[in-house]
Amino acid sequence: MSQRFRLPSGGHVDRSKRLSFTFDGRAYDGHHGDTLAAALLANGVRLVGRSFKYHRPRGIFSAGAEEPNALVELRDGARREPNTRATVAELFDGLAATSQNHRGSLAFDWMAVNGLLAPWLGAGFYYKTFMWPASFWERVYEPMIRKAAGLGRASGLPDPDHYEAAHAHCDVLVVGAGAAGLAAARAAGATGARVILAEQDFLLGGDLLNEPGLEVWRQESIAALEAMPEVTLLPRTTVFGFYDQGVLGAVERVADHLPQPPAHTARQRYWTIRAKEVVLATGAHERIIAFPGNDRPGVMLAGAARTYARRYGVRAGETAALFATQDAAYDAAFALAEAGTRIAAIIDPRGDSAAMQRAREAGFTVKPGCVVTGTVGGNALRGVEIGAVGSGGRGDAVPADVLMVSGGWNPAVHLASMSGSALSWDEALLAFVPGAASQHERSAGACRGVNGIGAAAADGAAAGQAAAVAAGFAAAPAITLPEAPAPDHRPYELWEVKGRGKAFVDIQDDVTANDIRLAHREGYSHIEHAKRYTTHAMGTDQGKVGGLVGAAVLAEAREEPVAKVGLPRFRPYTSPVAWGAIAGGEVGQHFQPVRRTALHGVHEALGAVWMDAGIWKRPAYYPKAGDADAWASVKREARAVRERVGVCDVSTLGKIVVEGPDAATFLDRVYANTFSTLQVGRARYGLMLREDGIVFDDGTTTRLGHDRFFVTTTTAQAGPVMQHLEFHLASAWPDLDVSLASVTDQWAAMSIAGPKAREVVAAVVTGLDVSNEAFPFMAVADCLATGVPARLFRISFSGELAYEIAMPAGYAAQVWRAVLAAGAPHGIEPYGVEALGLLRIEKGHVAGSELNGQTTAQDLGLGRMLKKKGDFIGRVLAQRPGMTDPSRPRLVGLRSVDPARQIRAGCHLIVDGRSQGWISSATQSVVDPGWIGLGLLRDGETHIGSVIVAANPLMGEEVPVKVVSPHGYDAENLRVRA
Amino acid sequence: MLRIPCPHCGARDEVEFIYRGDATVTRPGPDGDVGAFHDYLYLRRNPRGWQVEWWQHNGGCRTFLKVLRHTVTHEVRAVATATETLEVPGA
Ligand SMILES: [Zn+2]
């Protein structure tokens, strides 16, 4: 029979719209306006999952975001979404839902044997049981725990949907659209303030949705808000965090309620909202009572049963019992009775109350001074055991298939607490309420303990108006408020009914009251320690229904008041947020930007193999037909440079113009060597230290004019060097008249290197005599290249005669083509980063692998560059004994004794059986074939000429290497000066 | 997430800025010894309360700004340029 628990009328579901869905493969019907949980209950489905640790049967426990139990998988394939709360998942036609965390069928789970093992699976069992032997952890314990413990399954496939980020600013943000929130938004909106009203539910109204008599006011309020141009309504939007300076984070579920998002529509939207003033109207969460068997399917929060009856027109069962500690919960019994459910008993530890009297008048059996001592049933509740308060043991059983529980109401103080407000204990409500605000926020309604729809609405209206006034708006005339009596929410203090059997304080994480006491006995008595030891309140529900109950059990064990024990710190997220929403659009190719040089298209046309250099794309090498492998290409390119001529795109180097009357003084202070003595039209290699004396960066700096320098940096440090210069100019030497401009993107540059470089350059450049006499090593001059303004540098990184031509980036391609044409008769080859690396290792030039943030100038053989006179960054601290210790690892050259045996960067250098350094860079030589490298070796110079071992324990390699001078190739620099 | 009023660009999000630490330490002059430079580089007060600190408007005008921020509440009370002095309340 379809939907046999559905009422013929009433509530906010559209019975004319029938939606089909499946649960564990079985087909059911529901209605538009249902959540999955409501539709399951309408069809009499009670068992919806298995618990985390003991695999106990679990049912639907709540009717909202606080749901600890009914976590299911939605959809299938790439859109499969685990651990979704059935109580907030909107039903749509064709929804496929699956239960989680069981082996075998849901009704008979083999892992339920864990329940029998319970004495070994108590609190802290991960820490204790799986400690020994340590080698078992990765191979045995972890896979076993993962298999046994996880809840849902991720799809394992790329998410086909897209997510987006949005930012909003407003005068007043109202969180929650119950009576208090609606009234707050109306009152604030009436002043003309820009208001955002965010509500996690797909319907606005909160508890108003359970009150048919107040429907007119709810609809009036929504209509009034929709008519205000400055008010934005955000339903399906969960505000999950309250951060500094009025920043709140929210996720809007744009298309979760549809089978799949419409074209060009995001699945979810991640909001960053900046509000001048915030009104928190987040309501309250009903809390459980810990008693044996309080997790059995059929046990649910009293307010949830009431919501299913009134909002969804669904009876939660045939026969219900109510276990309540305060009058406010009694409306659930009346709601279910109206829906046709038999009320078997009302169990209340109190002696008498107004609600109890009304219940008796209505003909209900009321058991004052009583508590529920246990539940009867298997996968579904069949009965409730009742005993006198404090009697212990098992009492009389009353048949019931629904037990409605209400231990009181916890104001939803999560966001208030995150904003910095210290919580205070309300002795009447036995709950924490927000204290004084520390940001521009105020709580209104049930989330600050003002209960009842009429009172909450009035509180909300006042808060909304106050917020708007605080944001600078003039108060507007009062809005109409709903009239409704306020039920008494003050509970009898009852946290736990002690007895035999598991009494859960955290149903999702399978944490019992006994686990909390165990944590206390074992020394984890602070609430934060007990939380981590037991996993109490660490699930997706963050302890919304049982967190305070666990704290109360701990308080009793500590013999201290709950107020003193407190709650664990509230942190974002108040509710689960999908990774997709957090990642937003920054996925795949959009994860980070790509930087391409002005010559990117040219390299692509040449068939370059790309290499990532930070976010730059650089050609690694250019394969040609006939190259046996990548090494063949790299060596061919390097050989061209050594023997003829090559051209390489060096546009990624950082370029900074330093200008001003004090430019030379500034450079003298930021570089370890001197620039004030540099002649105009000349370049000089510069070494930059950090203030702690470690080498920071190197590069060539040119003096373009008396007060104008052109600094180059390594590709990797271009940004950090710029910042370093800006910082010191601002903080240390604001008196220096210097300005800085990054021109990395404006100038493209290419290196033309090799014995034939001069012929090629002479053919491309006009207006400049490039003979060795007129344009010697380290000369720099402006010129024309293919008729466009360019700058020529005679500098070399390869150890060959070499030039760099820099030109405005837009002209780079035409100059490159001219260089290739001019070089063709000489056998020119474009070369990539790999050949560049090969050449500099052969020559013994240091690069990023040697400037690794651990090396000093002395370590790199550059100690003589440190000037003796004048201040510079790093000067003083580079003189510390540990920095100048001669036994520090020093730069050496290395050559594999057997030319065929490869050495790798990262190898340890072993001397007399001990690691004395490492290989920083390795390659194959084209000058003297074989494997060569650079390394840092303790007492490096003393080992030159000797054979040591390069060891790579990861690959089981031990390769004999000869220690040589790093500058073996053309040590006199005759080639670069030719 | 902080909001920092840049004197050149207006109120901007924290993500546009780079934090550079305590702005009350000053680099020793040319005569500073190892001890002075050690203190400049490594010693920080780490106050619970107001602190004047460097923030560079990296994604904007690139100016290094002095920002008076409360390390507990993250309130940003005052912003100044590098050559101005910010008074720490109660100091
Ligand atoms: Zn700025």
Side-chain angles (χ1 to χ4, degrees):
Chain A
M1 196 166 60
S2 179
Q3 301 198 46
R4 64 197 169 93
F5 288 89
R6 181 79 67 180
L7 302 176
S9 65
H12 295 270
V13 291
D14 182 352
R15 289 174 180 74
S16 69
K17 286 195 186 133
R18 189 169 284 272
L19 307 177
S20 304
F21 70 101
T22 63
F23 181 66
D24 281 346
R26 278 194 63 183
Y28 300 97
D29 279 350
H31 292 305
H32 187 78
D34 269 337
T35 59
L36 174 61
L40 286 169
L41 286 173
N43 287 282
V45 177
R46 297 297 192 74
L47 175 64
V48 296
R50 287 274 172 176
S51 74
F52 180 65
K53 204 157 79 177
Y54 303 125
H55 289 247
R56 286 165 73 101
R58 291 291 164 80
I60 293 159
F61 201 81
S62 76
E66 67 272 35
E67 178 61 33
N69 272 349
L71 304 183
V72 297
E73 287 175 5
L74 295 188
R75 303 178 169 86
D76 42 31
R79 286 197 171 83
R80 189 171 72 203
E81 181 189 342
N83 303 334
T84 304
R85 291 153 295 163
T87 51
V88 297
E90 260 177 90
L91 195 67
F92 56 81
D93 198 46
L95 173 67
T98 319
S99 60
Q100 304 185 148
N101 206 36
H102 52 85
R103 295 212 209 137
S105 76
L106 175 57
F108 187 83
D109 178 1
W110 287 100
M111 291 298 283
V113 70
N114 277 3
L116 305 176
L117 300 175
W120 293 280
L121 289 176
F125 87 109
Y126 289 135
Y127 303 114
K128 287 185 277 196
T129 316
F130 299 119
M131 285 290 283
W132 183 90
S135 63
F136 265 40
W137 179 252
E138 270 183 44
R139 286 186 292 116
V140 183
Y141 293 146
E142 194 183 334
M144 190 172 92
I145 292 168
R146 281 185 187 283
K147 200 165 180 187
L151 281 170
R153 303 162 299 157
S155 78
L157 297 168
D159 191 333
D161 298 324
H162 76 271
Y163 301 79
E164 63 188 24
H167 292 257
H169 295 252
C170 61
D171 298 308
V172 179
L173 170 67
V174 180
V175 184
L182 286 173
R186 279 181 74 179
T191 69
R194 201 195 299 180
V195 176
I196 293 175
L197 174 59
E199 167 56 52
Q200 60 189 357
D201 204 328
F202 52 95
L203 293 182
L204 306 185
D207 197 35
L208 287 165
L209 296 165
N210 298 320
E211 297 289 354
L214 299 172
E215 180 61 12
V216 171
W217 187 81
R218 185 183 80 92
Q219 292 194 3
E220 259 174 29
S221 295
I222 294 170
L225 290 167
E226 282 172 342
M228 293 178 187
E230 294 296 332
V231 174
T232 304
L233 301 180
L234 290 179
R236 300 189 174 97
T237 302
T238 301
V239 177
F240 57 72
F242 198 140
Y243 304 90
D244 301 318
Q245 296 187 344
V247 175
L248 291 94
V251 163
E252 182 185 0
R253 291 173 296 281
V254 181
D256 276 9
H257 60 296
L258 302 171
Q260 63 184 64
H264 315 300
T265 300
R267 169 86 181 264
Q268 296 182 352
R269 191 172 287 135
Y270 187 97
W271 285 97
T272 302
I273 302 173
R274 291 187 175 277
K276 281 188 193 153
E277 297 288 331
V278 179
V279 176
L280 299 173
T282 48
H285 294 125
E286 200 170 18
R287 64 184 178 230
I288 58 171
I289 299 165
F291 57 85
N294 64 344
D295 63 327
R296 195 177 305 285
V299 179
M300 68 167 63
L301 295 170
R306 171 173 168 267
T307 295
Y308 287 117
R310 292 252 175 87
R311 173 174 172 178
Y312 298 102
V314 171
R315 289 184 299 133
E318 304 280 11
T319 308
L322 171 68
F323 180 20
T325 59
Q326 56 359 95
D327 279 7
Y330 275 61
D331 193 40
F334 290 100
L336 264 73
E338 282 163 28
T341 295
R342 200 177 72 82
I343 305 301
I346 296 178
I347 303 108
D348 194 321
R350 297 175 299 168
D352 199 6
S353 81
M356 285 163 86
Q357 283 170 28
R358 275 203 310 282
R360 272 193 221 100
E361 285 160 18
F364 301 150
T365 304
V366 179
K367 304 227 173 221
C370 285
V371 292
V372 171
T373 57
T375 59
V376 181
N379 285 345
L381 183 74
R382 288 202 316 275
V384 176
E385 293 172 347
I386 303 168
V389 174
S391 64
R394 315 183 75 153
D396 303 327
V398 168
D401 60 354
V402 179
L403 173 58
M404 305 184 287
V405 179
S406 182
W409 295 80
N410 297 333
V413 296
H414 308 63
L415 294 173
S417 174
M418 282 180 216
S419 79
S421 167
L423 302 180
S424 64
W425 181 250
D426 186 317
E427 198 55 56
L429 292 173
L430 300 178
F432 286 100
V433 293
S438 85
Q439 291 200 40
H440 296 278
E441 57 86 21
R442 64 212 76 214
S443 294
C447 70
R448 74 176 190 104
V450 175
N451 289 304
I453 286 177
D459 199 37
Q465 173 156 321
V469 168
F473 293 82
I479 60 164
T480 57
L481 294 170
E483 287 193 16
D488 195 339
H489 281 70
R490 292 171 300 173
Y492 175 94
E493 185 163 7
L494 177 73
W495 306 99
E496 182 190 4
V497 180
K498 288 180 183 147
R500 285 196 60 223
K502 287 190 169 55
F504 290 92
V505 293
D506 180 337
I507 306 184
Q508 184 172 117
D509 293 308
D510 273 352
V511 179
T512 64
N514 280 337
D515 288 332
I516 300 284
R517 281 187 279 271
L518 177 69
H520 171 64
R521 284 200 302 278
E522 300 197 346
Y524 299 90
S525 302
H526 191 284
I527 187 69
E528 299 282 2
H529 296 158
K531 165 182 169 171
R532 283 152 184 86
Y533 194 63
T534 61
T535 71
H536 177 57
M538 284 172 69
T540 58
D541 59 333
Q542 295 282 289
K544 290 190 182 69
V545 300
L548 188 59
V549 181
V553 171
L554 183 62
E556 188 201 55
R558 280 169 45 172
E559 298 178 2
E560 284 179 312
V562 191
K564 187 163 183 220
V565 170
L567 290 170
R569 187 173 184 81
F570 288 107
R571 294 190 177 86
Y573 299 78
T574 58
S575 277
V577 173
W579 278 111
I582 295 169
E586 290 163 27
V587 293
Q589 290 290 307
H590 300 292
F591 181 64
Q592 60 177 20
V594 172
R595 284 183 92 177
R596 298 179 179 88
T597 75
L599 292 165
H600 191 85
V602 169
H603 302 315
E604 210 157 51
L606 287 165
V609 171
W610 297 104
M611 158 186 265
D612 290 331
I615 59 173
W616 285 102
K617 293 284 177 199
R618 298 191 72 182
Y621 57 94
Y622 304 84
K624 270 191 180 171
D627 290 346
D629 55 14
W631 272 115
S633 305
V634 172
K635 287 193 281 190
R636 170 176 51 71
E637 292 169 11
R639 215 171 281 120
V641 174
R642 289 274 178 256
E643 295 166 4
R644 304 185 307 278
V645 61
V647 58
C648 180
D649 182 0
V650 294
S651 304
T652 62
L653 292 183
K655 308 174 199 80
I656 301 166
V657 174
V658 179
E659 200 163 4
D662 298 316
T665 307
F666 177 61
L667 290 177
D668 280 353
R669 292 186 192 174
V670 294
Y671 277 105
N673 50 327
T674 307
F675 282 92
S676 52
T677 56
L678 185 63
Q679 290 171 33
V680 174
R682 286 289 183 275
R684 183 173 286 171
Y685 175 72
L687 190 68
M688 203 179 272
L689 306 187
R690 308 190 310 215
E691 193 69 88
D692 65 0
I694 293 288
V695 174
F696 179 29
D697 199 49
D698 68 348
T700 312
T701 288
T702 301
R703 192 163 202 166
L704 298 173
H706 184 264
D707 295 339
R708 193 151 175 257
F709 291 81
F710 181 78
V711 169
T712 65
T713 75
T714 59
T715 300
Q717 300 285 32
V721 167
M722 184 70 184
Q723 248 173 49
H724 177 80
L725 301 185
E726 288 167 329
F727 176 67
H728 285 91
L729 212 43
S731 69
W733 308 302
D735 53 312
L736 294 186
D737 187 355
V738 175
S739 54
L740 304 168
S742 166
V743 293
T744 302
D745 290 326
Q746 283 72 14
W747 289 90
M750 59 195 79
S751 168
I752 299 161
K756 299 290 182 189
R758 184 172 293 119
E759 281 88 331
V760 176
V761 167
V764 174
V765 162
T766 49
L768 193 64
D769 177 359
V770 295
S771 68
N772 199 31
E773 297 68 36
F775 199 73
F777 184 52
M778 289 295 182
V780 178
D782 288 344
C783 61
L784 293 175
T786 71
V788 302
R791 196 173 283 155
L792 189 69
F793 304 77
R794 186 159 164 204
I795 54 178
S796 174
F797 192 49
S798 56
E800 301 299 328
L801 166 67
Y803 300 83
E804 269 182 37
I805 304 183
M807 72 294 303
Y811 295 116
Q814 77 179 57
V815 174
W816 176 276
R817 278 191 282 270
V819 167
L820 283 188
H826 306 289
I828 196 168
E829 299 248 17
Y831 64 102
V833 177
E834 293 288 1
L836 187 78
L838 184 159
L839 295 162
R840 71 99 188 163
I841 294 169
E842 271 188 341
K843 179 64 182 169
H845 283 318
V846 291
S849 313
E850 289 77 34
L851 311 181
N852 67 348
Q854 297 174 296
T855 47
T856 67
Q858 285 90 348
D859 296 344
L860 301 176
L862 301 171
R864 67 191 183 288
M865 288 187 69
L866 272 51
K867 54 181 167 268
K868 301 289 177 290
K869 281 188 185 154
D871 188 22
F872 63 91
I873 292 171
R875 172 182 63 97
V876 173
L877 295 182
Q879 294 159 13
R880 288 177 290 175
M883 304 286 279
T884 54
D885 182 350
S887 72
R888 285 173 63 90
R890 294 290 172 95
L891 186 74
V892 293
L894 299 160
R895 169 169 285 280
S896 181
V897 173
D898 176 352
R901 291 199 69 183
Q902 182 174 3
I903 55 171
R904 302 172 202 272
C907 284
H908 286 268
L909 293 172
I910 309 294
V911 182
D912 299 331
R914 291 181 58 198
S915 178
Q916 298 287 358
W918 66 93
I919 298 180
S920 51
S921 308
T923 188
Q924 294 189 54
S925 175
V926 293
V927 174
D928 185 0
W931 290 87
I932 60 166
L934 296 175
L936 288 135
L937 178 65
R938 283 191 183 280
D939 300 312
E941 286 100 284
T942 66
H943 292 292
I944 285 179
S946 60
V947 172
I948 61 172
V949 171
N952 183 336
L954 290 176
M955 306 183 86
E957 293 172 347
E958 290 195 2
V959 181
V961 291
K962 188 171 180 188
V963 182
V964 297
S965 160
H967 308 295
Y969 181 69
D970 184 27
E972 295 79 31
N973 267 343
L974 299 176
R975 297 178 72 88
V976 298
R977 295 174 188 278
Chain B
M1 209 168 8
L2 300 182
R3 198 116 164 111
I4 298 172
C6 173
H8 306 297
C9 311
R12 288 290 188 275
D13 253 18
E14 179 185 340
V15 294
E16 292 185 12
F17 292 82
I18 284 176
Y19 177 70
R20 189 67 195 241
D22 190 341
T24 59
V25 289
T26 46
R27 190 175 186 276
D31 300 329
D33 60 7
V34 169
F37 272 92
H38 171 275
D39 293 356
Y40 160 67
L41 191 59
Y42 299 113
L43 288 193
R44 293 296 180 271
R45 284 171 34 251
N46 193 21
R48 186 181 196 277
W50 294 103
Q51 172 166 270
V52 179
E53 47 200 31
W54 290 113
W55 288 80
Q56 184 186 17
H57 195 190
N58 192 57
C61 60
R62 294 197 69 86
T63 310
F64 270 92
L65 301 169
K66 283 180 180 168
V67 174
L68 178 64
R69 181 183 67 102
H70 196 281
T71 59
V72 178
T73 65
H74 300 307
E75 182 188 340
V76 170
R77 184 163 287 181
V79 177
T81 60
T83 49
E84 293 170 329
T85 306
L86 283 179
E87 296 299 328
V88 174

